[in-house]
Structure formats: C-alpha cells, structure tokens
Amino acid sequence: MSEELTPTEPIAATAAGPEESEEPIKQRKNGLYPGVSDELAENMKSGWADTELRDLEPIPQAAETAARRAALSARFPGERLVIPAGNLKTRSNDTEYPFRASVEYTWLTGNQTEDGVLVMEPVADGHRATIYLLPRSDRENGEFWLSGQGELWVGRRHSLTEAGKLYGIPASDVRELAGALREATGPVRVVRGYDAGIEAALTDKVTAERDEELRVYLSEARLVKDAFEIGELQKAVDSTVRGFEDVVKVLDKAQATSERYIEGTFFLRARVEGNDVGYGSICAAGPHACTLHWVRNDGPVRPGDLLLLDAGVETHTYYTADVTRTLPIDGRYTEIQKKIYDAVYEAQEAGIAAVRPGAKYRDFHDASQRVLAAKLVEWGLVEGPVERVLELGLQRRWTLHGTGHMLGLDVHDCAAARQETYVDGVLEPGMCLTVEPGLYFQADDLTVPEEYRGIGVRIEDDILVTEDGNRNLSAALPRRSDEVEAWMAALKK
C-alpha cells in the first residue's frame, strides 16, 4: 500500500476563501518526500483533461427516494431535518474501514458517499431538499494528489452538478454546512450517531426526544417495502442462492482446510455480484452450529457433521438477503440429524404458513415454537403438556432465539421501530421478514441423550408478505431433507 506525498508547508485542504485561514493537509510521519517544490506544485495544477460527466441519468430509485422525502416532509412540517451519511472510521493507524452510509441517508437519497448530509429546509409548501457532499478534489491547492483522501489516492468523486443529476436533489459543498447550521434558526431534528461535527453544530438547537422521534419515524417508514426495494431484495436472494451452490461445490476443499474456506467462497460471490456480505457470514460446522452467531469461522469441517451456513449477499444498493441452510457435509444426514432437521423443517413450514396480511407479527413465531415444543415433549426431553412448556418457555433452552425479523437495508431492519408497530404489530403487504426456527443441543448439555449433543439446525428463508399470503424469495434453495441431499448430490457431479 503506497504512502502519500507530504508537503512541509501548509497547503489549504479545502477551497477556503481569502477570509478563511488555510489548514495544512495532514502529513504522514516518515514520508519519503519531505516537501513539494514550487515547480512541482505548479506543474501539478495543469495539463488535466476535462472529465465532467454531462449525460447522466437519474439513479433507478430516484422516484422512490423522492416519494420517501415527500412523506418525511409531511410528517415534520415546518422543521429543518438533517440526515447525515456518516464519516470514515479508522481501522488501524492511517487505514479506514470500507465506508457504508447510514441507512436513513441512503434510503432517502440513494447516495452512499462519506460525509454526505441531506438537509430538508422548511418552506411554505413543505421542504426544499439539498444534498451536501464533498466536491471534486481541488487541483489548485494540491489536495487531489497530496491529501490521503484526494482523488488521486481514493478515486474520482462526482461533481456537485453530476450529483444533482444523479439523485434529483440540488447539491452543495458540505464543507460550508456546519457553519450554516450553527446560524440556523427554528426547530431542527438530526439523526444522531453518524456525524459528530454536524451534531456539534446543532448542539444548542436539538433535543434527544425530538431526534429520537425522527429516527423512529425513519425506521417505521421502512417496514413496508416499495417495488424497487422488493426487486433489490430478490436480487440479493438470487445471488445468495448462487453463493450457497458455490459452497456445496467446494466442501471437499473446506474439509482439507477449515470453515474459512466456506466463508471466503461465499464472500467471492458477494463481492462479484453485489457490494459485500450483508453481515458476517456464519459458517458453523459440527458443534459450532450451536453458537448462534459463530463468525470466527476457524474450525474444522468434518465428514459426518452438519454445516450451518447463515449468509447473505448485499446488493450495490445495500439491500441484503439472510438465508440459512443446515447441510450434511458428506451429503447425507444421519438418522439423528435427519430427525432434528425434519422437526425444524416442520416448524418452519408452520411459521411460513402463518405469514399473511392481517396476521399478527408474533403469529409465525408462535406457530413455529408450538411445533418445536411438541417435538421436545414427544422426544421426552421436556415434560408436557405442550401448553405448559410454552407458558413457561421451557423449549427456549433448545430454541434460544426469536423466529424471525424484518429485512431490508439492515439485516435486522427497522430496529428503531416502536414495539407496537413491530413485534406487536400486524403484517401488511410489502413487509419482508425472515422465518428461521432452530434447535440447538449444546455439546455439554447433560439434559439430553448423548446422540443429540453438538447438533444445531436452523433453516431460514426470506418471506415477502403479499396481498393474498406470502412469497418465499429464497424458494430456489431446497429445504426438505431429501431435496437437500438430492440438490447437493447434483452439484457435486
């Protein structure tokens, strides 16, 4: 990884006016070039082609983001609304984590660049939206080649004119925003937690309670997906299906290495067809399947064991799939593995059947848990009757988690929504959620027969609520145990 050049004299890091003091571009200690000659600085200012993009079309979701902003405007009339994308975060020393814009900002703009801020200014008939962004790197002051975030180092940015065309929102220089916000009057709300500088500029104008109302609204507004979002979720799922197929084809190589081979194989599909994985892939072989969020992925992959693979591709627009299959590593379930797997499958079938418009959100969870509780009673692992088990929650020793969650821009989407609109709410067409029951028998659980210990099974699919029921977006991946075995055998030929 190259080191950027560093000047010894201050060079303005921004296109500051004459009344503003110049700030030096941050220097790197131990850089090989201690300074920049006047001749080189002058040479770097000229001789560059005009690269302005003049024939840009709006992004595909521009109409949807405009409709979302209109709804936001109607909800908070007369108030200035500030929604930041966030800033780069340091990974180590002078390297940063890959940037991912806040979901609130992305949902309202479609833009994904660091330091961006959407501001909704109240006007007589609603709000005037402006997207504040970093403009192209300054070539006059050398920022584009001397700054670690200059375009020569990290790539070209869109000009403000280009951004306005792409996102359908007038664009302005974000470096001027903090000062303008400090001078602003009237009621203001900001989405907190993403941009400390913006929050500091508003510190005497906002309240935690009012800002929380904005955050909650933006979470609840995402509960029902529009047509664009549903299409993106299907893309994410389709790529995820191909990623699972990739894994099955290389299970022999994983056996020769570790769970990391599975993780890397799925990641390749995610990066080739999408933006990234939507969350840390769970590639849990053998007893690791009993650890709900096993993301170390450093264990052995052994024939005769199960592989619990919980993974999802994230699209370039940030929508993620979330799918789980529990696969026999050598292609065939043992008798006890099949017994447990089929119980979880039956529970998932009951849960999926309960997903329909007008049903309570909790219904699919209750339906799945009832099946699993009945199986545990039938197997003699817990004393019945089933109603007693459910009332006391005794099945939770082995079922552990809820049976699903909302899905979208976040893998656990709409998390800030109020309980009455989410877990105590009612399903509507356009909602997308997971149904993912599981049974987990820990390796050290002495309350179950030895043959159960170390077996963990989860089956998870992404379910869209439709006008007349539901649609399984991930139906292309087999779920029934015999179909899973046949699918794996066909892929290994």
Side-chain angles (χ1 to χ4, degrees):
M1 186 175 184
S2 301
E3 292 189 321
E4 61 257 37
L5 302 171
T6 50
T8 55
E9 297 298 321
I11 295 179
T14 66
E19 73 283 356
E20 300 180 44
S21 62
E22 293 186 340
E23 297 179 1
I25 293 173
K26 184 179 180 182
Q27 300 183 34
R28 187 200 299 271
K29 185 179 181 182
N30 296 321
L32 293 177
Y33 292 99
V36 176
S37 69
D38 292 343
E39 290 79 7
L40 177 59
E42 190 63 29
N43 177 274
M44 292 296 286
K45 292 180 183 179
S46 60
W48 305 101
D50 178 8
T51 60
E52 183 74 9
L53 304 175
R54 294 178 172 81
D55 298 321
L56 292 174
E57 296 292 330
I59 59 173
Q61 68 268 43
E64 285 82 1
T65 55
R68 297 166 196 165
R69 293 192 300 273
L72 174 63
S73 174
R75 173 62 179 81
F76 297 102
E79 302 185 57
R80 181 177 286 104
L81 308 173
V82 182
I83 301 95
N87 314 124
L88 290 170
K89 290 182 172 60
T90 299
R91 180 181 184 273
S92 177
N93 188 23
D94 54 0
T95 61
E96 292 83 22
Y97 287 104
F99 180 73
R100 190 182 192 275
S102 74
V103 295
E104 295 89 349
Y105 175 85
T106 302
W107 187 72
L108 289 166
T109 67
N111 179 256
Q112 300 175 1
T113 54
E114 65 270 17
D115 302 325
V117 184
L118 172 68
V119 177
M120 305 277 286
E121 294 281 349
V123 294
D125 58 349
H127 285 81
R128 179 181 65 252
T130 303
I131 188 171
Y132 288 84
L133 302 166
L134 285 171
R136 297 288 309 278
S137 288
D138 193 334
R139 293 179 188 255
E140 277 298 308
N141 69 5
E143 175 203 355
F144 87 103
W145 70 290
L146 292 171
S147 168
Q149 293 303 317
E151 291 184 7
L152 185 147
W153 291 96
V154 299
R156 184 187 188 277
R157 295 193 286 263
H158 284 297
S159 71
L160 298 180
T161 300
E162 292 169 355
K165 293 178 181 178
L166 285 169
Y167 306 110
I169 313 170
S172 291
D173 190 338
V174 72
R175 296 171 297 189
E176 302 167 357
L177 179 58
L181 291 177
R182 278 190 287 268
E183 301 300 320
T185 59
V188 184
R189 297 178 191 255
V190 63
V191 178
R192 300 190 182 199
Y194 297 116
D195 193 318
I198 293 299
E199 290 180 38
L202 294 169
T203 186
D204 60 341
K205 308 179 196 308
V206 295
T207 67
E209 293 78 14
R210 287 159 52 80
D211 292 348
E212 180 64 10
E213 286 178 358
L214 174 59
R215 188 174 80 102
V216 168
Y217 168 80
L218 290 172
S219 196
E220 293 182 354
R222 301 199 312 273
L223 284 167
V224 175
K225 271 57 180 177
D226 58 37
F228 175 84
E229 294 179 292
I230 293 169
E232 290 300 293
L233 284 167
Q234 187 65 69
K235 285 182 188 176
V237 169
D238 292 345
S239 289
T240 299
V241 169
R242 290 187 282 273
F244 274 66
E245 292 172 346
D246 295 339
V247 167
V248 171
K249 292 175 182 177
V250 300
L251 280 177
D252 57 334
K253 293 183 174 64
Q255 291 177 49
T257 52
S258 74
E259 296 162 339
R260 291 282 169 92
Y261 203 97
I262 295 166
E263 179 183 2
T265 298
F266 188 85
F267 180 70
L268 177 62
R269 178 65 66 174
R271 286 293 280 168
V272 167
E273 295 193 1
N275 177 59
D276 205 333
V277 289
Y279 52 95
S281 299
I282 299 168
C283 308
H288 287 163
C290 299
T291 301
L292 298 183
H293 286 171
W294 176 260
V295 292
R296 298 179 199 172
N297 299 335
D298 58 0
V301 180
R302 299 187 180 98
D305 281 347
L306 296 176
L307 167 68
L308 190 156
L309 178 58
D310 183 337
V313 172
E314 177 185 86
T315 67
H316 294 291
T317 56
Y318 287 176
Y319 290 87
T320 185
D322 182 7
V323 177
T324 306
R325 291 293 184 268
T326 306
L327 311 173
I329 291 169
D330 57 8
R332 302 284 293 183
Y333 295 101
T334 66
E335 184 177 348
I336 185 64
Q337 289 169 352
K338 186 176 185 302
K339 173 182 173 179
I340 296 169
Y341 183 96
D342 288 348
V344 175
Y345 171 78
E346 186 178 329
Q348 195 201 27
E349 284 282 274
I352 293 173
V355 175
R356 57 183 179 276
K360 294 178 181 178
Y361 176 85
R362 292 181 181 273
D363 286 351
F364 74 91
H365 170 74
D366 292 342
S368 292
Q369 290 290 298
R370 179 170 293 276
V371 171
L372 295 178
K375 293 294 182 182
L376 293 168
V377 171
E378 176 188 329
W379 298 340
L381 302 184
V382 64
E383 182 181 347
V386 170
E387 291 299 336
R388 169 185 172 271
V389 174
L390 293 170
E391 181 181 354
L392 299 176
L394 301 179
Q395 82 285 357
R396 292 179 60 187
R397 180 182 178 102
W398 303 285
T399 65
L400 296 178
H401 55 78
T403 310
H405 52 80
M406 292 295 179
L407 187 66
L409 284 168
D410 279 328
V411 65
H412 297 149
D413 206 25
C414 312
R418 294 166 295 171
Q419 183 165 321
E420 57 264 35
T421 62
Y422 192 155
V423 296
D424 290 335
V426 173
L427 297 180
E428 300 178 40
M431 289 182 170
C432 188
L433 51 90
T434 67
V435 178
E436 50 175 313
L439 281 174
Y440 311 91
F441 298 101
Q442 305 300 324
D444 58 351
D445 188 349
L446 302 182
T447 70
V448 300
E450 187 174 358
E451 63 177 350
Y452 287 75
R453 297 174 198 165
I455 295 178
V457 173
R458 180 163 67 251
I459 312 172
E460 178 180 20
D461 285 87
D462 301 343
I463 309 298
L464 174 69
V465 184
T466 61
E467 295 289 343
D468 57 356
N470 69 67
R471 174 158 59 95
N472 185 349
L473 301 181
S474 45
L477 272 181
R479 292 185 296 126
R480 211 173 63 202
S481 57
D482 59 333
E483 293 175 344
V484 169
E485 291 177 340
W487 169 72
M488 293 182 69
L491 287 172
K492 290 180 178 181
K493 286 182 180 177

